[in-house]
Amino acid sequence: QKEPFTHWRPIFINPARQVCEVSAPTGLMPATVCEVPLELATHLGGVDALEFGPRGAPLVVALQGKSANPDVIAEWVPAARLLAGAGWRVVVPNLHSNELTKPGAVASKDATQVVRDIIRSEHNCGASCAVVMGKSWGGGEAVAFAAAHRAMVVALVLVAPSLSDVSLLQQVREIPICLFWARDDAVKPFALSEHYTSSLAPACTL
């Protein structure tokens, strides 16, 4: 079994200029981080989610992988707790909670709209931008969202993303990107990371 991806090492970071200004939080929150279940309104109906950290703090949206396995649905929770403890507000939607937003069933253009709906949700105080994190299927949708709404994305954090149209990477080159990949990944082999490094390397620090 692979190590939890909160412990994976990034293989490159894109230090390109931010297209949406936001101040990173300073200091640490109390050791006990508030975790609140909520329902987010989207154009496809309500989506269950967990929120971590204080409302009004810089926003992070974390998108899951494709599987409906509970471990996959909750795979961002450990990272969300750590980020909330550092002063970020993290929203982890369960896209399997709505038949119309289920990963693998929802069209990419609708998934992109769902992410936009989540960022602009009343629960997020009408936020205009966010850090968007995604693993596997969620990583591909994070890239697609950033390509369509660059002004709404502070940065991308991608874990072994599954992206069918790698040409979209050319549209996110100005967004700071941190890419993680496990060398022993049996689902998304490490060699696939070359598609990302070759597309983004001219604007990245390796």
Side-chain angles (χ1 to χ4, degrees), residues 4-206:
F5 58 77
T6 49
H7 299 128
W8 290 6
R9 297 176 63 185
I11 58 176
F12 73 73
I13 298 173
N14 177 356
R17 68 176 180 83
Q18 291 187 183
V19 295
C20 179
E21 295 296 327
V22 66
S23 297
T26 57
L28 295 176
M29 300 296 292
T32 301
V33 174
C34 184
E35 303 178 15
V36 179
L38 51 82
E39 183 177 71
L40 301 170
T42 79
H43 72 295
L44 294 177
V47 171
D48 293 341
L50 287 175
E51 68 171 351
F52 303 78
R55 293 186 180 179
L59 177 64
V60 178
V61 175
L63 303 177
Q64 66 200 57
K66 185 175 181 178
S67 172
N69 186 303
D71 289 341
V72 174
I73 291 174
E75 61 193 350
W76 280 115
V77 168
R81 289 172 177 154
L82 291 173
L83 287 167
W88 296 84
R89 168 172 162 72
V90 186
V91 174
V92 182
N94 174 10
L95 298 177
H96 282 284
S97 64
N98 181 329
E99 287 293 322
L100 297 179
T101 64
K102 290 175 64 172
V106 62
S108 185
K109 63 180 180 62
D110 280 324
T112 293
Q113 181 63 42
V114 167
V115 177
R116 185 173 181 270
D117 293 340
I118 290 171
I119 292 175
R120 293 188 169 177
S121 165
E122 62 181 14
H123 295 284
N124 296 326
C125 305
S128 60
C129 58
V131 174
V132 182
M133 309 194 301
K135 180 177 183 291
S136 191
W137 175 88
E141 294 306 325
V143 172
F145 175 77
H149 300 285
R150 279 178 284 181
M152 295 184 70
V153 179
V154 177
L156 286 170
V157 179
L158 308 174
V159 180
S162 178
L163 182 63
S164 57
D165 183 3
V166 294
S167 69
L168 291 178
L169 295 172
Q170 299 299 319
Q171 300 178 44
V172 299
R173 288 162 57 89
E174 293 188 344
I175 298 174
I177 299 171
C178 188
L179 175 67
F180 293 80
W181 220 295
R183 291 186 180 277
D184 64 346
D185 194 323
V187 178
K188 295 293 177 183
F190 185 78
L192 293 177
S193 66
E194 295 179 4
H195 294 304
Y196 296 82
T197 55
S198 61
S199 294
L200 296 171
C204 299
T205 298
L206 299 182

